[in-house]
Amino acid sequence: MSTDLITYLNYMSTWDTESDDNIKRVIEEQELFTAMGDFQSDSVVDKEFKMLTDLAMEVRNHTIAADAAAVSAIWSFGLSMAAFAVLETTEMIEKSVISSKSKELNEKLKTIDTDIAAGINPSVSSYINKYKANNELISAKAPKGLDNRRCRAIFMQFMAHVHRSAGKLDVKSFKTYAESARKLFNSPEIEAVYAALDKLNLSGKADKDILEFINFLKGWSFPDQWAVSIVRTLSFGVMVYKLNIANEEIRVC
């Protein structure tokens, strides 16, 4: 389970020296996200996907030459390509036949996320536009092997932690915590945390095992209070979400 902590620290440590302007960009995206609130999207999604399905049926005997931009547009809104996968048989791909309707379908795939967002409300539309604009920046900071979705998951977790712990999310607090992540990632002290997490993972996760780990965290120190906060928050997150240790068990211990 140490891999979760290692991956988190590795990625966030790359933001330590990022420019203020780029950090402002991602903070603005986070602010748009938290300000969206609840919204109804079913009717808009149904309408857009009906259009896609109609187009797909028109090119069912041709290759759907969906390029990378088209596919990534779907993922940015969390939607599935499954409805179209059945159309891309080996025989169709080998033909490499692209009809005018296939081109039309590709164009729709490239914009469906923004089309859906615009149909919901202006707040959602603004968020999706900002989200897409930041994708390249967020991915560019990733260590080899880390995809955009994992980067974003780490990133949102990091910003939520900064906001909760510092009481605000701005460039200064962002950089303070990113610097702490870098210090942790490059420190010999963090190895003990990795080892303790892995030991808990391999244990029977009985009360005594949980208590041993909690006592370890209480006693673990580092010359950076924000770094200690990061380690404790992430470690408890691993316990609950990765090791399936209930909050009640942690509280009892």
Side-chain angles (χ1 to χ4, degrees):
M1 286 298 105
S2 62
T3 53
D4 291 87
L5 183 54
I6 293 170
T7 302
Y8 180 101
L9 295 177
N10 189 12
Y11 179 65
M12 290 316 308
S13 66
T14 66
W15 285 86
D16 180 28
T17 57
E18 189 55 64
S19 71
D20 288 3
D21 286 344
N22 281 343
I23 292 174
K24 285 178 183 177
R25 282 172 51 187
V26 294
I27 290 176
E28 287 169 0
E29 178 192 320
Q30 179 72 357
E31 289 172 345
L32 287 170
F33 176 75
T34 56
M36 279 194 301
D38 295 331
F39 54 83
Q40 295 297 321
S41 61
D42 289 355
S43 61
V44 178
V45 172
D46 289 345
K47 176 184 175 182
E48 293 295 331
F49 266 82
K50 182 181 185 304
M51 187 180 300
L52 282 179
T53 301
D54 291 345
L55 285 169
M57 292 305 100
E58 292 189 57
V59 293
R60 68 194 312 169
N61 294 322
H62 299 281
T63 300
I64 299 180
D67 58 24
V71 175
S72 65
I74 290 291
W75 288 120
S76 76
F77 210 76
L79 303 172
S80 173
M81 285 289 288
F84 306 99
V86 294
L87 301 172
E88 291 194 342
T89 64
T90 303
E91 180 181 359
M92 291 176 185
I93 291 173
E94 288 177 349
K95 287 179 180 177
S96 297
V97 177
I98 306 175
S99 69
S100 61
K101 285 295 179 181
S102 181
K103 180 180 179 182
E104 188 177 345
L105 175 58
N106 277 337
E107 292 303 315
K108 185 60 184 175
L109 284 169
K110 291 177 184 179
T111 64
I112 186 171
D113 49 358
T114 50
D115 293 342
I116 288 173
I120 296 172
N121 64 48
S123 295
V124 175
S125 181
S126 296
Y127 170 68
I128 293 299
N129 288 331
K130 181 69 71 173
Y131 179 108
K132 294 179 74 173
N134 286 338
N135 266 340
E136 184 175 348
L137 169 64
I138 290 172
S139 295
K141 308 292 292 183
K144 185 177 181 181
L146 204 61
D147 64 20
N148 183 266
R149 282 194 281 177
R150 185 69 189 280
C151 289
R152 280 194 165 277
I154 292 172
F155 207 68
M156 293 190 76
Q157 184 181 5
F158 174 82
M159 289 193 288
H161 176 71
V162 173
H163 193 278
R164 183 173 61 253
S165 299
K168 60 181 178 180
L169 177 61
D170 56 18
V171 172
K172 183 178 179 181
S173 59
F174 184 105
K175 283 193 165 184
T176 295
Y177 277 78
E179 180 184 13
S180 295
R182 176 185 57 77
K183 290 177 181 177
L184 279 170
F185 185 67
N186 294 321
S187 73
E189 291 93 336
I190 196 64
E191 296 296 332
V193 181
Y194 298 155
L197 276 170
D198 289 336
K199 182 179 179 180
L200 178 61
N201 180 42
L202 296 172
S203 74
K205 301 174 189 63
D207 286 352
K208 65 179 182 62
D209 301 313
I210 299 170
L211 182 59
E212 180 183 352
F213 181 72
I214 291 174
N215 285 335
F216 163 79
L217 279 183
K218 288 179 179 178
W220 185 81
S221 62
F222 192 79
D224 181 330
Q225 61 173 324
W226 308 123
V228 173
S229 171
I230 290 172
V231 166
R232 289 180 176 174
T233 299
L234 290 176
S235 295
F236 280 112
V238 169
M239 291 173 73
V240 173
Y241 298 109
K242 293 292 187 177
L243 301 183
N244 297 315
I245 298 173
N247 279 315
E248 184 60 32
E249 292 182 73
I250 297 173
R251 282 193 290 268
V252 168
C253 291

